[in-house]
């Protein structure tokens, strides 16, 4: 029974998968009991006529096969697919008492599909057991749902169905021998009669191949039945490793991050899927700027400064994923503002007296930034801190209606990250009177103070040097 188990547990099975597998139908229920010759029939739904249709009947003491290819007949279909009927007669006089597994197999080109029903022939006491899912080589993570069918043809047998696993070195070793439920920790025990579904907790199993056994337990072995399917347990998530710097200075090239050294502890790198998500929290919050599916490396232009997060979700071949967030900064180079007014350089905090003219040329074309930002620099000119012009070369005209004799000219040079630098100067209109320099004013005040002090000094001296006259009569 263990040797024929792989033929019974996969439904449908395929050598090569197609998008629309054949659907095999039976006109009788699972667990059919028969003592005489029987007529078995059913249907096949497929897109084309199959290359071959065959049947087999196996048990622990029996193996029969037959070909139905030439006997199938096309039927009316209720959908776009074609429907055929199949039919075969079995002479039970030539078949010993058994719990037999009757399988229909449909083959088309390099693909094949099969489905199985259990037939109790004669007074058999052995139970029937099938595993519908998982299929061979299916992945399992933390929990595993097992579905199938179990039935005892006699009423005296207890229907105790056990579930347990054995580790296997490889897929070849999986299900290569019968399992012993008496010496193995059981994952679950149920008492089904017909279709069943149970959830197994496999979170404590290490990654690797396992033989999953489903057993109708019977110490006397009269009703004993056991089926096995090889599965791949994948509990450990893949390990994510990103190689890259966390700080860059804005430039016109590209920045790259490499996650190709990421790995799965057991199943390896084959079949890994990469999903990269780039965000810029400093500017656009959590809205993704870019999403890349696939590829162990990720590159982006280094021409936009800001704080970034690069999220990598790595999914291994078994569908288990790990996610890591990598933070990095592209430092923006602040532009340098350089300008002149009709050839006179603007020095921040300085003063420029305008020459007699109808207009004065403002030129900030000498401003600088990193190569990637030069073409996008903006120049904004302000008069008394109010924006007046935009453009790195403009002509300044003094408003005729104003009575101002001076104003503050400010230049803001702004890059594409809205970083800027400024310079401001005091402009003096050509027609304004020249104010005395501060140093001259201080000198004049000092001189006046000194002259006043000298005058007061001499006046005090003249009054104090006079000799009073002696009045002789005052003594009388």
């Amino acid at each position: 029974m263990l040797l024929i188990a792989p033929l019974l547990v996969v439904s449908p099975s395929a050598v090569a998968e197609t998008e629309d597998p054949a659907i095999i139908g039976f006109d009788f229920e699972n667990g059919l009991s028969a003592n005489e010759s029987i007529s078995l029939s059913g249907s096949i739904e497929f897109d084309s006529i199959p290359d071959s249709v065959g049947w087999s009947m196996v048990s622990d003491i029996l193996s029969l096969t037959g070909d139905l290819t030439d006997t199938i007949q096309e039927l009316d279909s209720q959908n776009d697919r074609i429907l055929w009927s199949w039919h075969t007669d079995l002479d039970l006089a030539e078949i010993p008492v058994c719990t037999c597994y009757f399988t229909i197999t449909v083959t088309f080109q390099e693909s094949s599909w099969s489905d199985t029903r259990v037939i109790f022939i004669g007074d058999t006491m052995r139970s029937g057991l099938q595993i519908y899912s998982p299929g061979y080589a299916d992945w399992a993570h933390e929990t595993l749902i097992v579905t199938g069918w179990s039935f005892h043809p006699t009423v005296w047998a207890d229907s105790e169905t056990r579930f347990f696993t054995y580790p296997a070195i490889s897929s070849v070793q999986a299900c290569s021998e019968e399992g012993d439920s008496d010496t193995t920790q059981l994952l679950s025990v149920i008492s089904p009669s017909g279709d069943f579904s149970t959830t197994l907790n496999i979170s404590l199993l290490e990654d690797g191949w396992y033989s999953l056994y489903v057993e109708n337990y019977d110490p006397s072995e009269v009703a004993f039945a056991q089926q096995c399917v090889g599965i791949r347990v994948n509990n450990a998530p893949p390990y994510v490793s990103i190689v890259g710097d966390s700080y860059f200075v804005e430039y016109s090239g590209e920045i790259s991050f490499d996650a190709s050294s990421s790995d799965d502890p057991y199943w390896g790198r084959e079949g890994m899927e990469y999903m990269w998500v780039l965000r810029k929290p400093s500017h656009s919050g959590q809205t993704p700027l870019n999403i890349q599916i696939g590829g162990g490396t990720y590159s982006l232009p280094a021409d936009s400064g800001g704080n970034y997060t690069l999220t990598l979700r790595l999914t291994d071949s078994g569908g288990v994923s790990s996610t890591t967030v990598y933070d990095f900064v592209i430092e923006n180079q602040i532009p340098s503002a350089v300008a002149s007014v009709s050839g006179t350089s603007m020095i921040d905090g300085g003063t420029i007296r305008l020459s007699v003219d109808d207009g004065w040329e403002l030129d900030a074309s000498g401003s600088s930034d990193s190569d990637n930002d030069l073409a996008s620099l903006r120049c904004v000119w302000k008069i008394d801190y109010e924006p007046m012009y935009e453009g790195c070369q403009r002509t300044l005209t003094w408003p005729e209606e104003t009575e101002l004799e001076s104003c503050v000219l400010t230049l803001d040079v702004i890059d594409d990250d809205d970083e800027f630098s400024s310079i401001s100067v005091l402009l003096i209109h050509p027609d304004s009177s020249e104010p005395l320099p501060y140093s001259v004013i201080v000198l004049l005040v000092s001189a006046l103070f000194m002259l006043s002090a000298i005058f007061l000094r001499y006046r005090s001296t003249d009054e104090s040097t006079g000799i009073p006259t002696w009045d002789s009569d005052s003594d009388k």
Side-chain angles (χ1 to χ4, degrees):
M1 287 295 292
L2 188 64
L3 295 177
I4 64 173
L7 301 175
L8 310 177
V9 297
V10 182
S11 177
S13 63
V15 175
E17 293 183 357
T18 64
E19 292 184 359
D20 299 302
I23 299 175
I24 302 171
F26 296 86
D27 294 335
F28 58 94
E29 296 294 329
N30 215 356
L32 172 68
S33 294
N35 293 303
E36 301 177 354
S37 296
I38 55 174
S39 179
L40 303 177
S41 62
S43 61
I44 299 169
E45 183 180 292
F46 194 53
D47 298 319
S48 304
I49 184 169
D51 294 336
S52 66
V53 178
W55 66 268
S56 65
M57 179 175 284
V58 297
S59 71
D60 51 350
I61 59 172
L62 176 72
S63 179
L64 299 175
T65 61
D67 185 23
L68 302 175
T69 306
D70 295 334
T71 63
I72 62 174
Q73 296 182 357
E74 186 173 349
L75 303 174
D76 292 333
S77 176
Q78 301 299 317
N79 52 45
D80 295 336
R81 307 187 83 190
I82 307 173
L83 190 66
W84 291 271
S85 65
W86 60 266
H87 175 271
T88 186
D89 294 320
L90 296 180
D91 185 1
L92 299 187
E94 301 178 358
I95 300 176
V97 172
C98 69
T99 297
C100 291
Y101 295 83
F102 180 82
T103 301
I104 294 293
T105 301
V106 177
T107 302
F108 180 75
Q109 296 180 355
E110 297 181 356
S111 300
S112 67
W113 302 266
S114 63
D115 204 353
T116 301
R117 290 292 183 269
V118 175
I119 301 177
F120 298 113
I121 297 178
D123 296 326
T124 179
M125 290 185 292
R126 186 175 295 277
S127 64
L129 179 63
Q130 289 180 281
I131 302 175
Y132 297 154
S133 68
Y136 172 75
D138 279 359
W139 294 95
H141 174 67
E142 295 188 349
T143 60
L144 176 64
I145 298 177
V146 182
T147 62
W149 181 88
S150 174
F151 190 80
H152 289 67
T154 58
V155 296
W156 61 267
D158 294 331
S159 57
E160 179 179 293
T161 302
R162 297 180 172 187
F163 300 81
F164 59 98
T165 60
Y166 280 176
I169 296 176
S170 65
S171 60
V172 176
Q173 189 194 48
C175 297
S176 61
E177 59 183 21
E178 184 177 291
D180 187 353
S181 63
D182 289 330
T183 61
T184 306
Q185 183 177 0
L186 302 179
L187 297 175
S188 179
V189 177
I190 61 176
S191 299
S193 180
D195 291 332
F196 66 81
S197 177
T198 186
T199 300
L200 308 181
N201 182 0
I202 59 167
S203 60
L204 298 181
L205 298 182
E206 296 182 354
D207 285 15
W209 280 94
Y210 283 81
S211 302
L212 171 66
Y213 294 95
V214 181
E215 175 185 289
N216 283 343
Y217 179 72
D218 180 10
S220 68
E221 296 189 356
V222 173
F224 175 84
Q226 186 181 93
Q227 300 288 357
C228 179
V229 59
I231 61 171
R232 291 179 284 183
V233 173
N234 185 32
N235 285 328
Y239 167 73
V240 181
S241 174
I242 299 179
V243 178
D245 293 331
S246 59
Y247 177 81
F248 305 87
V249 177
E250 189 180 65
Y251 66 104
S252 57
E254 283 193 338
I255 296 170
S256 293
F257 298 91
D258 188 355
S260 58
S261 61
S262 300
D263 201 1
D264 183 273
Y266 184 89
W267 298 106
R269 298 188 181 96
E270 185 177 357
M272 279 189 173
E273 297 180 355
Y274 298 80
M275 184 176 76
W276 304 83
V277 180
L278 180 67
R279 296 180 174 88
K280 191 176 183 181
S282 61
H283 289 67
S284 57
Q286 293 303 307
T287 302
L289 298 180
N290 178 255
I291 298 176
Q292 174 183 302
I293 305 296
T297 60
Y298 183 86
S299 299
L300 72 152
D303 59 359
S304 181
N307 297 326
Y308 290 83
T309 62
L310 183 61
T311 302
L312 172 59
R313 182 179 181 182
L314 183 62
T315 305
D316 64 19
S317 53
V320 179
S321 62
S322 293
T323 301
T324 188
V325 179
Y326 194 87
D327 297 321
F328 65 96
V329 175
I330 301 178
E331 188 69 37
N332 179 55
Q333 180 176 321
I334 298 176
S336 175
V338 177
S340 63
V341 179
S342 294
T344 302
S345 296
M346 291 178 60
I347 299 175
D348 192 39
T351 300
I352 297 178
R353 172 174 282 274
L354 300 174
S355 59
V356 177
D357 204 340
D358 292 335
W360 300 271
E361 298 302 320
L362 306 179
D363 187 358
S365 58
S367 299
S368 62
D369 201 350
S370 54
D371 293 341
N372 57 289
D373 281 346
L374 274 177
S376 59
L377 284 181
R378 295 170 51 221
C379 298
V380 177
W381 303 89
K382 302 176 182 178
I383 300 297
D384 287 337
Y385 310 107
E386 293 292 331
M388 295 296 292
Y389 311 109
E390 182 165 351
C392 292
Q393 291 181 313
R394 297 301 299 266
T395 299
L396 170 67
T397 57
W398 204 278
E400 295 181 358
E401 63 275 9
T402 183
E403 297 181 358
L404 290 176
E405 295 185 350
S406 64
C407 66
V408 176
L409 173 66
T410 301
L411 167 66
D412 291 340
V413 178
I414 309 167
D415 65 11
D416 60 353
D417 294 302
D418 291 330
E419 297 284 354
F420 67 94
S421 62
S422 300
I423 52 176
S424 297
V425 295
L426 180 65
L427 296 183
I428 306 298
H429 192 272
D431 297 335
S432 66
S433 57
E434 183 74 33
L436 289 175
Y438 178 75
S439 57
V440 175
I441 295 175
V442 172
L443 180 61
L444 290 175
V445 172
S446 299
L448 290 174
F449 177 78
M450 184 175 292
L451 290 174
S452 177
I454 294 172
F455 174 76
L456 292 175
R457 171 83 175 172
Y458 276 105
R459 182 178 178 183
S460 175
T461 302
D462 290 342
E463 292 179 352
S464 62
T465 53
I467 300 175
T469 58
W470 179 266
D471 188 358
S472 60
D473 293 336
S474 62
D475 291 337
K476 294 181 180 181

